[in-house]
Amino acid sequence: MASHYEAPIRNPLIVGDKTYHDVTVDVARPVEGKANRLWWIVFSVALSAFLWGLGCIVYTVSTGIGVWGLNKTVGWAWDITNFVWWVGIGHAGTLISAVLLLFRQKWRMAINRSAEAMTIFSVVQAGIFPIIHMGRPWLAYWTMPIPNQFGSLWVNFNSPLLWDVFAISTYLSVSLVFWWTGLLPDFAMLRDRAVKPFQKKIYSLVSFGWSGRAKDWQRFEEVSLVLAGLATPLVLSVHTIVSFDFATSVIPGWHTTIFPPYFVAGAIFSGFSMVNTLLIIMRKVSHLEDYITLQHIELMNLVVMITGSIVGCAYITELFVSWYSGVEYEQYTFLNRATGPYWWAYWMMMSCNVFSPQFMWIKKLRRSILFSFCISIVVNIGMWFERFVIIVTSVHRDYLPSSWTMFSPTFVDIGVYAGTIGFFFVLFLLYARTFPVIAQAEVKSILKSSGEKYKKLREANPNNSH
Amino acid sequence: MNKKVVQAIYNDDDVLLDAVKKVRGVNLKIEEVYTPFPVHGLDEAMGLKHTRLAIASFIYGCIGLVVAVLMMKYIMIDDWPRNIGGKPNFTYIDNLPAFIPVMFEMTIFFAAHLMVISFYMRSKLYPYKKAENPDPRTTDDHFLMEVESTGNEQELVKFLEETGAIEVKIADKKAIEI
């Protein structure tokens, strides 16, 4: 069919002689099967970390923020570092499902579902920190402009922390409906295959009675496209607003106009790395190598390389401008970062973020799954240090030398962070066992244009091919 | 009243698309087509009207923007015009840059959520709704076309079989509103 013409230069995105039914079976297999021992081991570890973190949160809230390593000079450290880190990770999901949809990138089909799940779960982790880092978190609802008995006392719309409330809640809720709407046809597939009454009931409930009518699909595609068009500016604005927490301040090292795009680039950088980490494991354990192919990993590595280079460019710009500015406070901030007491954090960040993605220029390395996996973890360590360096090194030494101090975390700081990692994996592991991890309806729609079987058929009969 | 429909099941989207064109070519009425994934060009082949959800979304976005502006104008300028950190809260324009982030987010919030709610309402999708696809295979790898019965069902079945259907059956059409 002419409608399925594709340039012969493109590699297949779906490997093997797959039919539509094979796609269904492969996607449904992890959901219909039983969890193995390895899953239970990893799940228990994640759950223990989560419960430990929960204990740390309860301890913090009931005893006071003083149990953290913060002091009068460094009022933000691990809490906001982790918040920005998690929000950043969450951005890749929307990038993959929305931006790649707008650019009609077919390789997104196999990875968008898991990337969106990752978005939702990491934004949930991020959302914990703005609440628990409050001194009086039980008054958190005062951040909302609700009419009240204090003469109607309102919030102040000048604060980036309030913009954060709007940005994060919009981002989480829009991502959630985008993800769920995309899930309806796949839940319907599981519903129609289910043999156990309980599964049938659950998937009937969550698939909202999706029947796959022509009109439903027409609206579904329009909704996906418009949501992608809305999610793209949303994802850029959310991390921009997060970066405003720093950029609108008067602190040397924070007050920068480069932060909005530079934070967004860093978010894509760390987010894609996290997707790579998760999918390299998932394709193996869920036997989805035919859908999440080496080509997918290579393309994600290329995105990591490009955004890593943008981040590197931003680092150099910051250094140049601080030298060029003639502002001694600004110049000292960068001198302090490179040679001060946190030099190790700065050089950790530089080596992980600037140098490691540059290996991806070498084809052999970016097509190596083991190497990609290692780099994806290195990048996330580097991006954690980026936020730590920006936050802590800018405030521990600023205008008044009499206020200079140091920061070191307590076990509660570390415990809360470990707890969010545990919570993330608890959610992701449960997701991997109960949700269709590949958008099978979307994969089926590219099977004829990008499946290996059909590409071979076309090559065999170039004149009349299906 | 139950009316008769003829259900033709196909196992290939290209065959289905050709069949839809043939059925429309002889002026038969297609009641419905159920597919497991979006078949591109199907809505055009069936002659479905384009959806107006994008237009609705634009209007919702405008509403969101207006809500954000009115809310912040009332709170920051009219109700409590405080001096917070030297920010000029005399008129809305004076302090406009600080209001842009919330205006932007609320525009997107309204546009996205109200459009999704409209979609769910128009397509009648909600929790506990019973699925209406006549054959469970249509969410896996089969495509089902329902054609309104003309009275002479044997002839219609024969015609549909010629379009490449792997299975044709006559069924009662339940009264379903779309």
Side-chain angles (χ1 to χ4, degrees):
Chain A
M1 286 293 284
S3 62
H4 296 303
Y5 174 77
E6 203 184 49
I9 196 170
R10 294 189 184 278
N11 294 319
L13 291 169
I14 300 150
V15 180
D17 282 350
K18 299 288 178 193
T19 60
Y20 293 135
H21 185 63
D22 294 334
V23 178
T24 306
V25 172
D26 289 339
V27 173
R29 193 191 305 113
V31 180
E32 290 167 350
K34 272 205 174 352
N36 60 14
R37 180 199 289 269
L38 185 68
W39 187 90
W40 281 107
I41 293 171
V42 179
F43 183 73
S44 312
V45 172
L47 190 65
S48 327
F50 167 46
L51 292 174
W52 174 254
L54 202 62
C56 289
I57 289 172
V58 171
Y59 177 52
T60 305
V61 172
S62 55
T63 310
I65 284 292
V67 300
W68 289 0
L70 303 173
N71 52 53
K72 272 161 61 177
T73 301
V74 184
W76 274 356
W78 276 53
D79 47 356
I80 301 302
T81 300
N82 298 333
F83 163 68
V84 182
W85 188 74
W86 276 120
V87 174
I89 284 174
H91 277 39
T94 313
L95 257 302
I96 287 169
S97 54
V99 178
L100 297 186
L101 188 150
L102 294 184
F103 286 104
R104 301 287 175 196
Q105 295 295 305
K106 289 181 180 169
W107 62 277
R108 80 173 194 282
M109 306 279 191
I111 57 174
N112 58 3
R113 176 65 41 73
S114 295
E116 285 168 44
M118 189 194 76
T119 292
I120 310 273
F121 302 149
S122 51
V123 175
V124 167
Q125 307 314 319
I128 293 171
F129 288 101
I131 311 263
I132 63 162
H133 90 303
M134 290 179 172
R136 290 176 290 166
W138 47 90
L139 299 181
Y141 70 97
W142 284 6
T143 58
M144 286 178 280
I146 310 167
N148 52 63
Q149 72 274 44
F150 304 116
S152 265
L153 188 60
W154 305 112
V155 290
N156 162 27
F157 281 95
N158 290 317
S159 167
L161 300 182
L162 184 72
W163 308 340
D164 265 350
V165 173
F166 280 83
I168 300 293
S169 51
T170 303
Y171 187 52
L172 180 62
S173 63
V174 172
S175 303
L176 197 63
V177 294
F178 193 10
W179 187 51
W180 204 272
T181 306
L183 274 161
L184 296 180
D186 295 1
F187 279 146
M189 176 274 282
L190 290 174
R191 169 198 74 206
D192 287 348
R193 280 174 61 85
V195 279
K196 292 181 210 148
F198 179 71
Q199 281 199 345
K200 188 126 200 143
K201 213 178 170 91
I202 293 294
Y203 288 114
S204 302
L205 167 65
V206 294
S207 64
F208 290 9
W210 176 267
S211 307
R213 292 191 186 87
K215 189 71 191 176
D216 292 349
W217 280 118
Q218 187 203 38
R219 291 189 185 126
F220 176 91
E221 294 221 287
E222 183 87 350
V223 165
S224 306
L225 187 64
V226 176
L227 276 182
L230 291 169
T232 303
L234 181 62
V235 77
L236 301 181
S237 76
V238 168
H239 220 63
T240 294
I241 290 174
V242 168
S243 84
F244 283 165
D245 294 349
F246 312 102
T248 61
S249 73
V250 292
I251 303 291
W254 281 7
H255 185 73
T256 322
T257 52
I258 201 176
F259 268 13
Y262 150 48
F263 268 51
V264 172
I268 306 168
F269 182 48
S270 66
F272 265 78
S273 297
M274 191 61 140
V275 176
N276 232 347
T277 312
L278 296 172
L279 289 185
I280 285 173
I281 299 171
M282 179 182 264
R283 70 196 285 273
K284 194 86 194 158
V285 297
S286 297
H287 305 292
L288 296 169
E289 289 102 329
D290 291 340
Y291 303 95
I292 302 162
T293 64
L294 190 57
Q295 204 196 342
H296 289 86
I297 295 171
E298 187 184 2
L299 287 165
M300 282 193 277
N301 281 333
L302 286 173
V303 176
V304 166
M305 183 186 89
I306 291 164
T307 50
S309 303
I310 296 172
V311 168
C313 194
Y315 290 164
I316 296 164
T317 308
E318 272 192 324
L319 286 170
F320 170 75
V321 171
S322 83
W323 164 76
Y324 190 63
S325 68
V327 179
E328 55 204 335
Y329 297 108
E330 191 73 20
Q331 287 167 344
Y332 179 72
T333 297
F334 283 87
L335 188 71
N336 179 44
R337 280 185 191 175
T339 62
Y342 291 109
W343 64 271
W344 51 273
Y346 180 76
W347 291 106
M348 185 85 172
M349 152 188 131
M350 277 299 203
S351 48
C352 292
N353 293 351
V354 179
F355 302 117
S356 69
Q358 302 306 323
F359 287 114
M360 297 303 179
W361 291 95
I362 301 158
K363 189 163 187 174
K364 235 198 175 88
L365 293 177
R366 71 168 181 262
R367 285 184 72 86
S368 154
I369 293 178
L370 182 66
F371 186 77
S372 310
F373 185 74
C374 296
I375 289 292
S376 71
I377 291 182
V378 165
V379 166
N380 269 313
I381 296 172
M383 284 307 292
W384 190 88
F385 274 102
E386 183 196 294
R387 278 68 181 248
F388 179 80
V389 164
I390 289 172
I391 293 170
V392 171
T393 66
S394 304
V395 291
H396 88 119
R397 288 184 176 179
D398 60 358
Y399 293 114
L400 280 179
S402 59
S403 299
W404 286 8
T405 183
M406 287 294 288
F407 166 81
S408 56
T410 64
F411 83 93
V412 191
D413 283 297
I414 300 166
V416 171
Y417 179 47
T420 55
I421 294 175
F423 191 15
F424 175 81
F425 279 103
V426 164
L427 293 172
F428 199 84
L429 285 163
L430 289 172
Y431 151 81
R433 301 253 1 114
T434 48
F435 279 57
V437 295
I438 285 183
Q440 51 93 28
E442 289 195 82
V443 166
K444 283 172 185 170
S445 71
I446 60 161
L447 186 65
K448 280 194 176 171
S449 64
S450 308
E452 193 185 12
K453 179 184 165 188
Y454 289 92
K455 283 180 101 70
K456 278 194 183 141
L457 272 175
R458 271 200 298 275
E459 268 168 43
N461 345 274
N463 296 326
N464 176 27
S465 53
H466 242 289
Chain B
M1 189 197 85
N2 280 349
K3 60 179 180 181
K4 295 268 185 223
V5 286
V6 180
Q7 297 175 337
I9 298 179
Y10 300 83
N11 61 0
D12 189 283
D13 43 336
D14 294 314
V15 178
L16 169 82
L17 215 50
D18 287 343
V20 167
K21 285 171 192 158
K22 279 179 199 153
V23 170
R24 294 248 304 160
V26 295
N27 283 328
L28 286 165
K29 191 176 166 230
I30 298 176
E31 289 276 341
E32 197 51 78
V33 176
Y34 299 88
T35 64
F37 58 85
V39 176
H40 289 270
L42 180 63
D43 48 351
E44 270 171 53
M46 285 173 68
L48 293 181
K49 276 196 203 126
H50 200 271
T51 168
R52 293 166 296 177
L53 280 166
I55 300 165
S57 178
F58 179 80
I59 295 166
Y60 298 145
C62 294
I63 295 170
L65 184 64
V66 170
V67 169
V69 170
L70 292 179
M71 173 182 73
M72 288 188 288
K73 167 87 165 52
Y74 174 69
I75 290 175
M76 297 296 289
I77 311 296
D78 300 338
D79 202 23
W80 298 74
R82 303 280 91 185
N83 180 342
I84 304 161
K87 293 263 187 168
N89 277 341
F90 308 113
T91 64
Y92 195 77
I93 298 292
D94 278 330
N95 205 3
L96 181 66
F99 301 145
I100 297 287
V102 172
M103 286 158 64
F104 187 90
E105 295 302 322
M106 285 188 67
T107 307
I108 291 186
F109 186 91
F110 275 63
H113 285 296
L114 292 178
M115 174 188 61
V116 170
I117 292 168
S118 303
F119 164 59
Y120 282 12
M121 285 168 70
R122 289 289 289 148
S123 286
K124 294 204 165 45
L125 298 166
Y126 48 88
Y128 293 110
K129 157 108 185 248
K130 233 175 116 52
E132 287 159 350
N133 47 336
D135 192 307
R137 290 174 296 173
T138 58
T139 53
D140 179 358
D141 61 343
H142 285 67
F143 306 80
L144 190 147
M145 173 166 58
E146 277 184 353
V147 183
E148 192 184 45
S149 175
T150 47
N152 189 349
E153 275 143 18
Q154 296 312 317
E155 196 188 328
L156 183 55
V157 168
K158 201 159 161 272
F159 174 73
L160 288 171
E161 271 165 355
E162 277 163 15
T163 61
I166 57 159
E167 215 178 293
V168 181
K169 53 188 174 189
I170 302 162
D172 285 331
K173 175 79 178 172
K174 284 170 245 142
I176 295 166
E177 290 283 309
I178 298 167

